[in-house]
Amino acid sequence: MRIICSAVVAAVIVMGSGSSYAQQLGGGKTVLVIHGGAGTIRKANMTPEVEREYREKLSEALRAGHAILARGGSSLDAVEATIHIMEDSPLFNAGKGAVFTHEGRNELDASIMDGRNRAAGAVAGVSVIRHPISAARAVMEKSEHVLLSGKGADLFATAQGLEVVDPSWFWTERRWKELQKKLMEEGAPGAKAEIEENQAGEPSSHKFGTVGAVALDRAGNLAAGTSTGGRTNKRWARVGDSPIIGAGTWADNKTCAVSGTGHGEFFIRWVVAYDVAALMSYAGLSVEEAAARVIATLKDVEGEAGLIALDAKGNFAMPFNTEGMYRGWIRADGEPHVQLYEEESAAPAKPR
Ligand code: ASP
């Protein structure tokens, strides 16, 4: 018996955390972790109704992705389906509900990455594609490129048969008012005086709502995806970190899958998503240690940031240096867990 046990242990050690690990053990160890943006998320700013809406939508997104993982689907499919739910919800700054540019448009960014082979796809500044995450996936799977932008990205995604919507699809009153408020603060002429300081029950910050997902499937493969409207009042075709592989999104089975949210310029300069993976691979840190260190570094330089990171054994971390982050996870048992505020942070990282 002891010999058999040690043989199994040895096999697991030899296989390490590569893609064959879960497969050899018979699979079943699926994990999906999501975020819906980091920022000034305080209980005091929420009505119970709005809080419930967020919790329900995050749970729905987790269940949608889990359903795919539970029937043996891929982590890529789970990430995409999960993000679709959040892109279609006006609660988040992605797809419908995206923030407005200075000119009053919605320009959407998204990226996706496959942990098996570092295949990646991204779009920046799309304006008529209902699900930018699917446009990113189409770039990964149907083109020779990694990142397409603007009109070209819209044309490519349209040619791939993705759902096209009128730009007004993305319009929401809440985001429009956030833009008007920003414009008024800047003293822009013509900004409408239709601003209520803190709309009842809604978080007051314009700085969050990006969505992301990382998943581990039964075959032991990781994937990551991120989708956003960027930052309110952005100009000059500004592109943030979300469509930049290595900054806002990363996935490699050898280390981890990462999706970030926060001040994108810092994510780009600190190469955040890849830095988590690099700390794991070069410095031997665990996913929790690596993620915490990167977020702490950004705090030191006053870069608002949060991220989700998941390794190939199912360990994950959800650190942030803001007051809160919409976040959640679901394991093979199919029970969704959702957290909003800082005080809810526990230690959920051990695989089961
Ligand atoms: N990181 C996004 C950007 O800078 C925004 C966010 O996550 O809130 O475009």
Side-chain angles (χ1 to χ4, degrees):
M1 181 63 183
R2 185 174 297 162
I3 293 167
I4 294 170
C5 283
S6 358
V8 170
V9 169
V12 168
I13 290 168
V14 167
M15 287 185 286
S17 59
S19 60
S20 58
Y21 179 75
Q23 231 164 4
Q24 294 295 325
L25 292 178
K29 193 192 274 185
T30 65
V31 186
L32 170 67
V33 187
I34 63 174
H35 71 76
T40 318
I41 300 164
R42 282 193 219 113
K43 208 170 171 67
N45 293 344
M46 291 269 197
T47 62
E49 293 74 49
V50 173
E51 183 176 327
R52 195 173 327 117
E53 277 182 50
Y54 275 102
R55 290 190 190 277
E56 280 171 7
K57 191 50 76 175
L58 290 164
S59 299
E60 182 189 337
L62 285 167
R63 283 199 194 92
H66 173 74
I68 290 169
L69 296 172
R71 57 172 186 261
S74 72
S75 50
L76 276 176
D77 286 346
V79 162
E80 186 180 10
T82 303
I83 290 180
H84 278 186
I85 304 275
M86 296 191 280
E87 286 179 334
D88 278 347
S89 165
L91 292 173
F92 303 102
N93 173 19
K96 189 176 184 63
V99 299
F100 285 93
T101 65
H102 184 74
E103 295 78 18
R105 291 197 292 266
N106 303 104
E107 295 175 359
L108 313 161
D109 302 337
S111 65
I112 195 162
M113 190 162 184
D114 185 342
R116 287 175 301 182
N117 52 7
R118 294 198 188 186
V123 290
V126 294
S127 57
V128 297
I129 304 302
R130 177 171 170 183
H131 293 124
I133 193 68
S134 296
R137 186 163 180 184
V139 172
M140 176 174 79
E141 291 176 345
K142 311 267 174 56
S143 86
E144 307 164 3
H145 310 297
V146 171
L147 172 59
L148 300 181
S149 69
K151 227 186 176 67
D154 274 330
L155 281 172
F156 171 79
T158 304
Q160 295 304 319
L162 295 190
E163 188 175 346
V164 172
V165 290
D166 187 85
S168 62
W169 162 261
F170 300 110
W171 193 94
T172 57
E173 188 175 9
R174 171 185 168 205
R175 297 301 188 189
W176 183 252
K177 285 182 173 171
E178 285 173 0
L179 172 65
Q180 301 310 313
K181 183 165 181 247
K182 267 284 192 189
L183 294 176
M184 284 207 358
E185 283 165 9
E186 281 183 356
K192 292 195 194 101
E194 57 184 55
I195 316 306
E196 288 133 23
E197 256 299 310
N198 277 322
Q199 294 165 54
E202 290 184 355
S204 60
S205 172
H206 57 278
K207 291 179 184 164
F208 55 87
T210 293
V211 307
V214 292
L216 172 66
D217 62 27
R218 276 199 199 155
N221 293 317
L222 291 169
T226 310
S227 182
T228 189
R231 310 263 294 177
T232 297
N233 200 28
K234 65 184 182 180
R235 296 178 85 167
W236 305 300
R238 178 265 188 190
V239 175
D241 60 307
S242 306
I244 307 297
I245 295 301
T249 301
W250 181 259
D252 187 333
N253 286 354
K254 291 193 180 70
T255 50
C256 61
V258 179
S259 170
T261 172
H263 196 149
E265 281 69 11
F266 284 87
F267 276 74
I268 295 172
R269 290 162 62 207
W270 267 262
V271 203
V272 165
Y274 178 71
D275 203 28
V276 175
L279 284 167
M280 291 175 69
S281 109
Y282 299 138
L285 267 55
S286 69
V287 69
E288 297 95 331
E289 291 164 344
R293 182 174 308 177
V294 171
I295 290 297
T297 301
L298 290 174
K299 190 177 170 72
D300 290 345
V301 294
E302 291 177 21
E304 288 185 311
L307 61 81
I308 50 175
L310 168 68
D311 75 15
K313 290 180 188 157
N315 301 300
F316 65 90
M318 308 181 293
F320 49 93
N321 61 26
T322 53
E323 288 182 74
M325 179 166 82
Y326 300 114
R327 59 202 188 277
W329 71 95
I330 191 163
R331 293 191 178 98
D333 62 8
E335 183 68 35
H337 302 267
V338 168
Q339 298 178 342
L340 276 52
Y341 313 115
E342 191 177 5
E343 57 271 23
E344 290 175 277
S345 291
K350 290 287 158 261
R352 275 197 312 227

